């Protein structure tokens, strides 16, 4: 049979050069060097600046193990090209959001890469913890239905990919949420995450004998939670996870009520705002 | 210039002040892929006082999921809601008559460039 030849995209030399720097050369030992070359680009040329920015966003082209280098690189570029750094962060967040809206398996690896990148951008202090928590909550709330009879097309019962994304983000930067308000915020999030997880896992489509809930997801969640909160006692079923959320909300209700008049005038674009109140 | 993760000492200092401020940076998403910044500005004018605007071209490789979007930082917090009420769900129509309902939201990342003389990169 004839092998279909994929036409090689012809790119201008400058584009090829930027791609070579970011997608071939970039590694732990070359980060400094690549940064120097990236700084030398003619950032005043809008076409070059646009392509370089686009390439910095497209982190799924970077070797997965070098994603932290891309974050490091961007942090190094930020003092000189703040607008570029901002556009890259905006672009990564947009890709994560659009990924949920498209929800096509062919983008799964791309989505994992973007989420990992975001976590590394937190580690290199390009984004604050609020951005990480907004993203975490978006995974367990955006177009999510907690009504078994009304499954969401964007997050159907057998769709477990959001769990993976949460775990990737927690694996990447969760260990730094170990003190102060970010610690508390993560504790709250983990309670809601377990509710999401158990809601998925207790769905009737999973039948122990014929179609058990995937073991790799079970292990992934367990390993991830253990890594960020070794002492945490995990919920063992949906009822327990639900109860933990109710307890948390009851605990915070008086406090939320006292500030609610202010909050009500504030915009919350998704149900995520509701969760954020308790964090 | 690069740094090890453990140091975590960096340029983007956690800006306490900014955290307490209400968000003012807005993103308008899911706009027609063929839209240009000029046309967008025309359609949303008069735009209230803002100190930051940028437009992002569509990634056409995404096919039917290719959209343009724009970021705006308003100077008055109240303008955010007026803008949202006006343009969230607003239907933009491209040259071929295709309809695109825009989504207006707070940008998850609220940072905008600091207004200071540009530090030139001596490289």
């Amino acid at each position: 049979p004839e092998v279909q030849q994929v036409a090689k995209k012809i790119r201008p030399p400058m584009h090829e050069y930027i791609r070579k720097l970011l997608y071939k050369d970039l590694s732990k030992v070359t980060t400094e060097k690549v940064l120097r070359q990236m700084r030398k680009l003619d950032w005043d040329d809008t076409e070059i600046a646009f392509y370089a920015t686009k390439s910095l966003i497209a982190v799924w082209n970077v070797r997965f193990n070098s994603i932290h280098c891309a974050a490091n690189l961007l942090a190094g570029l930020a003092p000189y090209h703040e607008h570029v750094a901002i556009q890259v962060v905006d672009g990564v967040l947009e890709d994560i959001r659009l990924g949920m809206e498209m929800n096509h398996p062919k983008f799964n690896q791309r989505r994992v890469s973007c989420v990992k990148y975001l976590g590394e951008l937190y580690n290199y202090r390009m984004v604050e913890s609020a951005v990480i928590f907004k993203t975490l909550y978006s995974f367990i709330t955006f177009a999510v239905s907690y009504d078994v009879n009304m499954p969401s097309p964007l997050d159907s019962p057998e769709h477990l990919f959001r769990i993976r994304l949460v775990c990737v983000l927690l694996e990447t930067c969760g260990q730094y949420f170990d003190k102060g308000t970010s610690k508390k915020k993560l504790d709250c999030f983990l309670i809601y995450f377990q509710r999401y997880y158990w809601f998925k896992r207790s769905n009737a489509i999973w039948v122990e004998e014929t179609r058990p809930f995937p073991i790799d997801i079970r292990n992934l969640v367990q390993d991830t939670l253990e890594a960020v909160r070794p002492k945490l006692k995990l919920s063992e079923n949906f009822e327990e996870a639900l109860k933990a959320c109710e307890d948390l909300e009851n605990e915070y209700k008086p406090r939320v009520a006292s500030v609610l008049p202010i909050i009500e005038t504030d915009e919350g674009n998704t149900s995520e705002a509701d969760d954020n109140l308790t964090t | 210039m690069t740094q090890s993760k453990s140091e975590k000492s960096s340029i983007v200092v956690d800006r306490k002040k900014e955290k307490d401020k209400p968000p003012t940076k807005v993103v308008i998403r899911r706009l027609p892929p063929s839209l240009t910044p000029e046309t967008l500005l025309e359609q949303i004018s008069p735009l209230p006082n803002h100190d930051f605007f940028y437009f992002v071209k569509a990634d056409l490789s995404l096919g039917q999921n290719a959209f343009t979007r724009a970021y705006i930082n308003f100077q008055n917090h109240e303008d955010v809601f007026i803008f949202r009420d006006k343009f969230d769900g607003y239907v933009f129509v491209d040259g071929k008559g295709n309809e695109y309902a825009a989504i207006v939201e707070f940008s998850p990342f609220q940072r905008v460039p600091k207004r200071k003389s540009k530090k030139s990169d001596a490289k």
Side-chain angles (χ1 to χ4, degrees), chain A residues 129 133 176-186 229:
Chain A
S129 64
F133 284 107
Y176 296 115
F177 302 133
D178 57 349
K179 46 185 178 297
T181 52
S182 62
K183 175 179 184 297
K184 275 188 212 146
K185 282 186 186 174
L186 181 58
R229 290 291 183 271

Side-chain angles (χ1 to χ4, degrees), chain A residues 32 39 90 97 101 267, chain B residues 2 30 54 84 105 121:
Chain A
E32 286 274 2
R39 281 173 57 191
D90 284 339
R97 170 66 180 275
E101 292 172 348
E267 186 194 50
Chain B
T2 56
R30 299 184 76 92
Y54 80 92
R84 192 269 318 262
E105 285 174 0
D121 190 354

Side-chain angles (χ1 to χ4, degrees), chain A residues 83-84 86-87 90, chain B residues 24-29 31 35-57 68-75 83 87 92 104 107 110-115:
Chain A
H83 56 289
V84 174
I86 290 172
Q87 292 190 14
D90 284 339
Chain B
T24 49
K25 182 174 159 188
V26 159
V27 58
I28 175 164
R29 313 174 55 244
L31 296 169
L35 193 69
T36 62
E38 293 78 21
T39 317
L40 174 66
L41 282 171
E42 224 172 79
Q43 296 206 35
I44 60 177
S45 79
L47 203 53
N49 283 352
H50 59 283
D51 55 9
F52 180 65
F53 171 89
Y54 80 92
F55 179 89
V56 189
K57 283 193 270 184
T68 52
R69 63 184 198 277
Y71 295 82
I72 309 160
N73 190 53
F74 292 104
Q75 278 160 313
F83 185 82
F87 293 107
F92 287 80
V104 176
S107 169
Q110 282 291 313
R111 207 174 135 203
V112 294
K114 273 173 270 172
R115 263 207 285 189

Side-chain angles (χ1 to χ4, degrees), chain A residues 157-158 160 163-164 197 200-201 205-206 211-221:
Chain A
E158 67 280 0
L160 304 173
I163 294 174
R164 188 170 290 279
Y197 170 70
K200 287 273 178 191
R201 190 168 153 182
I205 61 163
W206 309 114
R211 192 190 185 188
F213 187 82
I215 187 84
D216 57 324
I217 298 290
R218 281 171 62 165
N219 291 339
L220 176 70
V221 170

Side-chain angles (χ1 to χ4, degrees), chain A residues 239-254:
Chain A
E239 289 67 36
E240 257 187 61
L242 196 62
K243 172 85 172 42
C245 287
E246 281 165 7
D247 289 349
L248 180 73
E249 281 165 14
N250 286 333
E251 187 192 330
Y252 277 85
K253 238 175 220 163

Side-chain angles (χ1 to χ4, degrees), chain A residues 189-254:
Chain A
F189 173 74
L190 294 180
I191 290 173
Y192 285 106
F193 175 52
Q194 290 187 77
R195 177 177 71 175
Y196 176 81
Y197 170 70
W198 276 107
F199 182 75
K200 287 273 178 191
R201 190 168 153 182
S202 56
N203 192 289
I205 61 163
W206 309 114
V207 182
E208 197 56 49
E209 296 77 30
T210 49
R211 192 190 185 188
F213 187 82
I215 187 84
D216 57 324
I217 298 290
R218 281 171 62 165
N219 291 339
L220 176 70
V221 170
Q222 202 166 354
D223 292 351
T224 307
L225 295 187
E226 208 171 276
V228 290
R229 290 291 183 271
K231 287 181 201 145
L232 186 70
K233 197 189 158 291
L234 305 183
S235 301
E236 285 178 22
N237 52 50
F238 182 58
E239 289 67 36
E240 257 187 61
L242 196 62
K243 172 85 172 42
C245 287
E246 281 165 7
D247 289 349
L248 180 73
E249 281 165 14
N250 286 333
E251 187 192 330
Y252 277 85
K253 238 175 220 163

